Amino acid sequence: MRLLKYPDGRLTEEPSDKLSADVRSAVELVDASLLLVFDEGGITGHSDHVRATEIATAVAGEIGIPVLGWALPEAIAAQLNDEFAATFVGRHREEIDLSVEVDRSRSTGRSVVMPVSRARIPCSGADWSFKAIGSLRWLDPGHAMVGSQPSA
C-alpha cells in the first residue's frame, strides 16, 4: 500500500489525469496484476473513497487488469451504521464473489480504525471486523470467478 498526500475530503477536486497517473505509477511500480479497491459507493459513502475507486477502476480497465472491491455484507453494514451512526453500504450475500477466511487465533488484538467515526475497536472483541475484512466482489464486468482466479 502506498499513501499519497492528498487533502482529506477533497479528492474530487483533484484532476482525473493526475490521480490516474498516480494509480498507473503504483501499478507499474509493483507490476500489479489486480487492483483491490473500495466497493462502489466507497463502503462508507466518503467522497474520497468513491473517487479513488472510480479512478482505479478506470485505470485498470485501460490497462486490462481485474479489479476487486472490498465489500461489506448487508448485516455488518447495518450493525456498523447502528453502532456508529454511519453510512456504510452493504451488499447482499449473492453480490459477494469471494470471501477470505480470517484466522482469529492469529489476532494480535490490534485496533481497527473506523474511517467515519475515527473510533478504535479492538479486533479481538469485534465479530464484524473479521467477517468484514474478507468480503470482496468483482467491479469490472469482464472478470468472473473461476476457482480463485479471475478469467477474462
Side-chain angles (χ1 to χ4, degrees), residues 18 25 27 29-30 36 43-44 55 57 69 74 82 84 92 94 102-103 108 111 122 132 137 139:
K18 180 180 177 187
S25 174
V27 167
L29 180 67
V30 299
L36 177 63
I43 296 284
T44 63
I55 296 293
T57 302
E74 269 185 324
D82 287 346
F84 299 104
H92 295 285
E94 57 273 2
V102 178
D103 184 354
T108 62
S111 296
R137 61 189 291 267
L139 297 186

Side-chain angles (χ1 to χ4, degrees), residues 95-107:
E95 292 179 285
I96 295 175
D97 299 307
L98 177 65
S99 292
V100 178
E101 292 291 324
V102 178
D103 184 354
R104 287 175 165 230
S105 67
R106 300 180 79 182
S107 172

Side-chain angles (χ1 to χ4, degrees), residues 61-128:
E62 293 166 10
I63 295 172
I65 60 175
V67 182
L68 273 174
W70 173 57
L72 289 176
E74 269 185 324
I76 293 170
Q79 181 180 350
L80 290 169
N81 290 336
D82 287 346
E83 290 180 23
F84 299 104
T87 56
F88 287 90
V89 177
R91 295 287 176 182
H92 295 285
R93 180 181 300 221
E94 57 273 2
E95 292 179 285
I96 295 175
D97 299 307
L98 177 65
S99 292
V100 178
E101 292 291 324
V102 178
D103 184 354
R104 287 175 165 230
S105 67
R106 300 180 79 182
S107 172
T108 62
R110 286 180 282 197
S111 296
V112 173
V113 177
M114 298 302 304
V116 172
S117 65
R118 304 285 187 232
R120 291 189 176 272
I121 300 170
C123 287
S124 58
D127 287 343
W128 65 264

Side-chain angles (χ1 to χ4, degrees), residues 20-39:
S20 295
D22 284 337
V23 173
R24 277 191 195 85
S25 174
V27 167
E28 291 169 5
L29 180 67
V30 299
D31 193 25
S33 59
L34 177 135
L35 291 183
L36 177 63
V37 300
F38 290 106
D39 191 10

